[in-house]
Amino acid sequence: MSTSDPLELLTKWEEYCTEQSGLHASARSYYKFLSRMLFIPACLLGSASGVSSITVAASEVHSIVFGALSIMSAAMFSLHAKTGLDEKNFLHDQYSSNFHILANDIKAQLALHATGVWAYNSVSDYARECKHRLDILIDQAPSIPARIARHKQC
């Protein structure tokens, strides 16, 4: 950003934080959906194969089918755990909130400044603090899935 006016920078950062908050919220929803699409069928398969193997007379064909369903269910549970979808969901939720908080903080400070009141020594001091907070968020935030980023650019 080549602008030197702290108020312009703060306005751009507020817009950026709002955009990032939305992207992370979309990523959270995406990972939550993927998690449910693996976890729920795995639970249903495991339950169905377990109940069916107990209640149905055990013929060789039934045993093979229910054994295969059990293996498929276990594979889906393993895939769910290995991909870390719940952790990704949690992280994107956290960073969506963090970017939203920073955007709201900047909005509040800009609104205060417009009324002639300022909570900091100067606009430059506040801009430095915001840059520090924003740099930390950018460095530590998980990456946005490509399909989310492409969708938001359209």
Side-chain angles (χ1 to χ4, degrees), residues 49-106:
S49 66
V51 168
S52 299
S53 66
I54 293 170
T55 59
V56 174
S59 71
E60 189 173 314
V61 173
H62 287 113
S63 295
I64 291 171
V65 169
F66 297 132
L69 288 176
S70 296
I71 290 171
M72 214 160 92
S73 174
M76 291 173 79
F77 278 122
S78 296
L79 184 61
H80 181 269
K82 189 74 172 169
T83 57
L85 295 172
D86 291 333
E87 292 82 11
K88 291 175 184 177
N89 175 21
F90 173 78
L91 279 175
H92 283 288
D93 186 42
Q94 181 181 10
Y95 279 94
S96 175
S97 296
N98 290 345
F99 276 110
H100 184 73
I101 289 167
L102 183 55
N104 282 344
D105 188 31
I106 293 170

Side-chain angles (χ1 to χ4, degrees), residues 11-45:
T11 302
K12 287 182 180 183
W13 291 343
E14 183 270 323
E15 292 168 358
Y16 176 80
C17 287
T18 300
E19 177 187 357
Q20 288 299 305
S21 176
L23 286 171
H24 283 285
S26 294
R28 179 196 56 82
S29 296
Y30 172 70
Y31 285 121
K32 187 175 185 179
F33 173 78
L34 289 179
S35 176
R36 287 182 177 173
M37 289 300 104
L38 270 176
F39 190 74
I40 292 171
C43 287
L44 293 175
L45 277 176

Side-chain angles (χ1 to χ4, degrees), residues 124-146:
S124 297
D125 286 347
Y126 181 67
R128 272 192 296 280
E129 181 191 325
C130 280
K131 181 173 179 357
H132 176 71
R133 289 170 61 189
L134 185 58
D135 286 344
I136 290 171
L137 284 176
I138 291 170
D139 288 343
Q140 295 178 354
S143 59
I144 303 293

